[in-house]
Amino acid sequence: MTPSRCVGVLLAGGAARRFRGMPKGLALVDGLRIADRALAALRGATDRQIVVANDPRAARWFPGLRTVKDAEEGLGPLHGLRTALAAAEGAPVLVVAWDMPFVTAALLTALRQEGERGATAVVPVVGTPPRAEPLCAYYGGEALMACDALLGRGERRAAALFETLPGATTVRGADLEALGDPARLLLSIDTLEDLSTIGGRLPDGEDTARR
């Protein structure tokens, strides 16, 4: 199968209630914004990149990148996936939440390669009990119609898309471990305590701009 051009999508959303309402992706890990670390991984695995964000400041945070808003806010992460798929205009997407500092291009490339073998979606699964990570995943362009159907039924969970799509698959176990420590690769920073645990810090005012 000939590989399709794949769009990398940074999902820069969420209310961040457990982060004092501050933009999580602008927090710094090893001196770099978490969002920029995720974008670097996307650049290594995709043909072009966009940002899905509803915050009006997002264009300033990511100069030079196309920024797309949800058609309607407050509909949860599934609607963010819908926005990503619509913006890709039929191309497959690799999505990464902007609060994941340790995602790698190797992981995303592996998801893309599995998708290009014919899967409608490819989602990594980690932990005990197993936990899918639908906001670090590959989705084929056909997933847009499934998104619309789910949203029309009132669904809001991102995982519902993977659960619904025929032909969806996972990367887990030894295949995932070959790419690094799964718990680290798929770590998301949900609280200020999480940020502190990995040695990160909140930005100063001047640190919110891209470096």
Side-chain angles (χ1 to χ4, degrees), residues 12-192:
R17 294 182 182 88
R18 292 184 291 168
F19 216 74
R20 298 182 189 168
M22 291 178 280
K24 293 190 291 183
L26 304 187
L28 303 176
V29 173
D30 293 334
L32 293 174
R33 300 186 310 178
I34 296 175
D36 289 330
R37 296 167 67 94
L39 279 168
L42 285 167
R43 289 191 184 98
T46 59
D47 301 290
R48 62 184 176 94
Q49 299 78 42
I50 63 173
V51 177
V52 170
N54 293 324
D55 194 303
R57 299 169 291 179
R60 187 171 74 248
W61 295 337
F62 304 107
L65 283 180
R66 181 186 175 198
T67 302
V68 185
K69 294 180 62 174
D70 292 333
E72 183 177 350
E73 296 185 32
L75 296 184
L78 180 62
H79 197 273
L81 293 180
R82 196 262 175 216
T83 302
L85 286 158
E89 299 178 328
V93 300
L94 271 169
V95 301
V96 176
W98 75 331
D99 61 356
M100 302 183 77
F102 301 124
V103 170
T104 64
L107 169 62
L108 298 180
T109 297
L111 299 178
R112 177 178 178 176
Q113 289 173 342
E114 186 66 26
E116 289 176 344
R117 284 191 280 268
T120 55
V122 187
V123 177
V125 174
V126 64
T128 304
R131 183 184 74 256
E133 293 290 349
L135 299 185
C136 177
Y138 170 98
Y139 297 97
E142 62 268 41
L144 178 58
M145 289 182 63
C147 257
D148 284 337
L150 288 165
L151 289 164
R153 297 200 295 268
E155 182 61 75
R156 299 291 181 266
R157 298 177 304 117
L161 181 57
F162 164 74
E163 294 164 0
T164 300
L165 279 170
T169 190
T170 62
V171 174
R172 63 174 74 203
D175 290 335
L176 186 57
E177 291 166 6
L179 299 166
D181 175 5
R184 180 177 174 87
L185 284 173
L186 298 169
L187 177 70
S188 59
I189 303 302
D190 294 323
T191 68
L192 293 173

